[in-house]
Amino acid sequence: MSESTASAASIARYRPETRLVHSGTLRSQFGETSEALFLTQGFVYDTAEQCEARFKGEDPGFLYSRFSNPNVSMFERRMIELEGAEAARATATGMAAVTTAVLAPLKAGDHVVAAKAMFGSCRYVVEDLLPRYGIQSTLVDGLDLEQWRKAMRPNTKTCFLESPTNPTLDVLDISAIAEIAHQGGARLIVDNVFATPIWQSPLTLGADVVVYSATKHIDGQGRCLGGIILSSEAFIAEHIHTFLRQTGPSMSPFNAWVLLKGLETLAIRVRAQTETAAAVADALAQHPKISRLIYPGRADHPQAALVKKQMRAGSTLVGFEVKGGKAAAFRCLNALKLARISNNLGDAKSLVTHPSTTTHQRLTPEARAELGISEGFIRFSAGLEHPDDLIEDLHEALAKA
Ligand SMILES: Cc1ncc(COP(=O)(O)O)c(C=O)c1O
């Protein structure tokens, strides 16, 4: 098996779209155009000596698919070269990536500071899981830099945030928070799912680690789960490599193959979905049945200046609050014909979510209110349908809300 010519070290001179198609390709002796699928748990060795050398790390081949696999390696390499990271490890799901990146480097007695506006399962990891193992956590209003500063303690090892946030699309100042973290001797981990690697590069903004749920835009066609952690060689070697190998939340070779093919179309999909989300946001902004609309690409977004500074474009998601609370939101969701009710996002099919009864139902009503997740709030994930069809669908559904 050989690395394709385009995936050699010189790849850095190519633009992201080109890297998404070529980076990391490993060709077998058959010279296939599309990456082959290596659906194998393990590998055989020519000799016992070679097997011994591989286990000792002296021979660079593959050992066992819990450790590494050609498809998983190709996916990791393509992501590394897109993100501008030194190293990466793929995981079975986005939550496996988040849990590993947050938990693996820590020990009892350490402290974590995180923004309270985040995906419900990520908040569970920080708020409920870590303290059970003696790792204290402080949740802050991620928009308030003073709160980040005040929350730092001598034993703070990790700061964690997502931006834009799920589901209210707040945009947090990654550079400023990275500076606060570094001044306190901590690392910053950024969940970049909502921004996508196309619109935001947290490592260049000062973050130390980036995590993705590849289940979202990277697959982008609703087929499989996956996750990835990207950072420096040193972070992966010291904290992630052995943890993943020994605890086993590995990405399946089949999923890696699907995600690798997903990456080839990521840029064009995200661009089209972002244009559609912007069109939907503009069409609904003044709707009489909507009390609040939030879209990071609009001039009326509360952090519009920061969006311009740290993102290359808005988002594929729009949030809006239907007047009349849960009953009105449910009438709207149930009346939609094209956009389907689902808790996923970033898919080719437009999807709508009611966060207060799904992704954030675990939080108390007070905690949801604090985050702006009202009973009437709907998260819209733009797909690849024609924007006018989606806008007509939303107008018809809102008429029934
Ligand atoms: C921001 C964010 N992070 C992490 C995850 C977890 O990803 P997965 O479902 O692939 O475990 C999700 C969605 O589920 C998410 O929206």
Side-chain angles (χ1 to χ4, degrees):
M1 182 173 289
S2 66
E3 295 244 340
S4 88
T5 44
S7 69
S10 64
I11 197 79
R13 77 187 167 95
Y14 296 117
R15 291 161 185 81
E17 292 79 358
T18 309
R19 293 184 212 173
L20 280 166
V21 177
H22 290 287
S23 289
T25 300
L26 296 170
R27 289 215 159 86
S28 78
Q29 69 272 32
F30 300 114
E32 60 281 348
T33 309
S34 173
E35 293 76 1
L37 172 54
F38 295 90
L39 212 47
T40 178
Q41 294 152 341
F43 303 85
V44 294
Y45 313 97
D46 293 336
T47 61
E49 286 78 9
Q50 185 190 43
C51 180
E52 182 185 24
R54 261 192 217 170
F55 269 81
K56 280 185 174 163
E58 292 162 1
D59 183 285
F62 295 98
L63 281 162
Y64 187 54
S65 287
R66 170 151 51 81
F67 298 174
S68 61
N69 168 281
N71 289 112
V72 178
S73 294
M74 286 190 249
F75 172 65
E76 289 169 346
R77 177 101 320 250
R78 199 164 284 182
M79 284 299 298
I80 285 169
E81 291 176 2
L82 175 65
E83 198 72 41
E86 284 177 12
R89 288 293 182 277
T91 53
T93 64
M95 281 321 301
V98 168
T99 307
T100 303
V102 172
L103 183 66
L106 303 178
K107 57 178 184 346
D110 289 343
H111 175 242
V112 172
V113 184
K116 58 177 85 152
M118 62 168 67
F119 174 55
S121 302
C122 299
R123 188 155 156 168
Y124 162 80
V125 169
V126 172
E127 197 175 21
D128 297 12
L129 186 71
L130 295 182
R132 280 170 38 195
Y133 298 96
I135 302 159
Q136 297 311 313
S137 57
T138 306
L139 291 175
V140 297
D141 173 351
L143 295 169
D144 184 345
L145 296 178
E146 209 35 50
Q147 286 198 25
W148 285 98
R149 275 188 207 101
K150 284 203 178 120
M152 297 297 290
R153 300 183 194 160
N155 58 340
T156 306
K157 295 283 163 52
T158 295
C159 294
F160 178 45
L161 65 85
E162 62 185 46
S163 182
T165 60
N166 181 0
T168 49
L169 308 176
D170 294 333
V171 174
L172 276 54
D173 192 334
I174 296 175
S175 302
I177 298 163
E179 208 178 304
I180 295 168
H182 296 160
Q183 273 167 5
R187 68 183 70 86
L188 175 64
I189 302 177
V190 174
D191 180 338
N192 206 36
V193 164
F194 271 47
T196 82
I198 303 301
W199 297 146
Q200 183 168 270
S201 305
L203 296 178
T204 64
L205 296 166
D208 303 281
V209 183
V210 179
V211 287
Y212 287 102
S213 163
T215 315
K216 308 296 186 289
H217 304 83
I218 291 174
D219 173 8
Q221 288 161 78
R223 297 162 296 191
C224 56
L225 296 156
I228 190 158
I229 305 167
L230 299 122
S231 68
S232 64
E233 283 284 5
F235 179 80
I236 296 286
E238 196 180 332
H239 301 296
I240 304 299
H241 177 80
T242 307
F243 184 94
L244 283 180
R245 281 185 164 217
Q246 308 306 343
T247 61
S250 330
M251 177 176 277
S252 103
F254 180 76
N255 288 5
W257 180 80
V258 172
L259 296 167
L260 194 60
K261 304 313 286 177
L263 283 177
E264 292 180 358
T265 56
L266 180 70
I268 51 172
R269 283 186 287 106
V270 167
R271 236 174 245 131
Q273 287 167 268
T274 301
E275 275 170 26
T276 298
V280 164
D282 288 345
L284 299 191
Q286 305 305 327
H287 197 287
K289 296 219 172 152
I290 288 178
S291 47
R292 181 166 69 103
L293 179 136
I294 180 135
Y295 180 64
R298 277 175 61 86
D300 60 5
H301 187 280
Q303 294 89 43
L306 182 58
V307 172
K308 271 216 169 101
K309 198 178 101 188
Q310 77 178 21
M311 298 181 72
R312 291 179 281 276
S315 165
T316 65
L317 293 124
V318 182
F320 57 90
E321 188 178 69
V322 180
K323 288 180 188 166
K326 178 178 167 185
F330 272 27
R331 279 197 297 275
C332 173
L333 292 172
N334 292 339
L336 285 164
K337 293 197 177 70
L338 266 182
R340 304 309 307 267
I341 303 166
S342 171
N343 43 300
N344 200 18
L345 60 97
D347 198 277
K349 294 179 172 62
S350 288
L351 303 173
V352 277
T353 309
H354 186 246
S356 73
T357 53
T358 59
T359 51
H360 291 71
Q361 54 86 22
R362 201 185 60 81
L363 299 184
T364 62
E366 295 74 34
R368 280 197 297 270
E370 196 182 20
L371 297 175
I373 306 172
S374 67
E375 302 265 295
F377 191 84
I378 290 175
R379 185 187 79 190
F380 173 81
S381 166
L384 291 171
E385 302 91 342
H386 194 290
D388 293 347
D389 287 333
L390 292 167
I391 291 167
E392 283 164 22
D393 193 26
L394 283 158
H395 274 304
E396 283 168 22
L398 280 164
K400 294 183 184 150

